[in-house]
Amino acid sequence: MANTSRINGFKPVKHLSGAPYNGKFNIYEAAAADATAIFVGDLVRMQAGTGTEGYETVSVVATTEQTTGSGLVGAVVGFVVDPTALNTPQYRAASTKRLVMVSDAPDLVFEAQDGGTVACTNALCGSNTGYTIGSGSTTTGTSAATTGATVPATTVTLPLKILGFVQRPDNEHAAASQKLLVKINVHAYGSMGTNVS
């Protein structure tokens, strides 16, 4: 059965220990000077310094495919509602200051759709890959990010490690639009993590 293409960005599902993801997050700020929109499911990177409200700042890198992982801190799971503007959309509009909820534990495992031009196979599990940004939905607020378009490789600078396939009846392995389990390779809070300035 062919997989249904249903791109939702990166969704935290569990920790490396096997413990389920329990909905925890930390708050960061997307600065008004950042001209790239942010959607639920986007991977975000740390930026140098704090924002106007004292939170560390994050952003989405605005190029198509990311093949380096320095500064990645986690995936967006929501946004803080602005009480002065209750009609705020379910995404962070470009060039708008917004407080962002990020699932940022360094050992989190994420589910994401395989965006490769060649579907990941059993032999490629354990390899590293990039990720693509896409254009998120301004209607649902959902990210269009997937794993990278290039074939997974052993290159250590690639930002994500493929841990395996999502085990569900609706997920055919080694096929187009399959759902993969990945983790961040070089996390901003890991021993080798760095901010992006």
Side-chain angles (χ1 to χ4, degrees), residues 125-157:
C125 286
S127 298
N128 302 319
T129 185
Y131 63 96
T132 57
I133 305 299
S135 298
S137 170
T138 57
T139 301
T140 65
T142 304
S143 169
T146 64
T147 63
T150 55
V151 177
T154 56
T155 310
V156 295
T157 55

Side-chain angles (χ1 to χ4, degrees), residues 10-195:
F10 289 79
K11 175 185 175 184
V13 292
K14 64 178 181 178
H15 294 268
L16 280 176
S17 66
Y21 172 64
N22 60 7
K24 298 292 186 181
F25 60 85
N26 281 304
I27 295 176
Y28 296 81
E29 183 177 319
D34 178 8
T36 303
I38 301 175
F39 298 86
V40 173
D42 277 345
L43 292 175
V44 290
R45 295 186 180 208
M46 297 280 283
Q47 299 297 315
T50 59
T52 57
E53 297 191 38
Y55 296 103
E56 295 212 45
T57 54
V58 293
S59 69
V60 171
V61 178
T63 54
T64 304
E65 182 171 5
Q66 295 303 301
T67 54
T68 58
S70 179
L72 278 177
V73 70
V76 175
V77 293
F79 300 91
V80 175
V81 174
D82 181 353
T84 66
L86 295 179
N87 289 326
T88 306
Q90 297 303 309
Y91 68 98
R92 181 261 178 188
S95 304
T96 304
K97 187 188 83 169
R98 193 83 190 268
L99 297 182
V100 185
M101 303 171 182
V102 180
S103 54
D104 59 359
D107 69 333
L108 271 176
V109 177
F110 300 91
E111 175 182 328
Q113 184 162 305
D114 185 354
T117 53
V118 176
C120 182
T121 62
N122 290 327
L124 291 174
C125 286
S127 298
N128 302 319
T129 185
Y131 63 96
T132 57
I133 305 299
S135 298
S137 170
T138 57
T139 301
T140 65
T142 304
S143 169
T146 64
T147 63
T150 55
V151 177
T154 56
T155 310
V156 295
T157 55
L158 288 169
L160 303 173
K161 179 173 286 295
I162 300 170
L163 303 178
F165 305 103
V166 172
Q167 301 295 327
R168 280 199 308 262
D170 65 347
N171 190 43
E172 180 183 354
H173 299 174
S177 301
Q178 67 186 327
K179 308 306 183 286
L180 301 175
L181 295 174
V182 300
K183 72 172 291 293
I184 295 173
N185 257 340
V186 184
H187 197 282
Y189 294 146
S191 60
M192 296 175 63
T194 57
N195 288 351

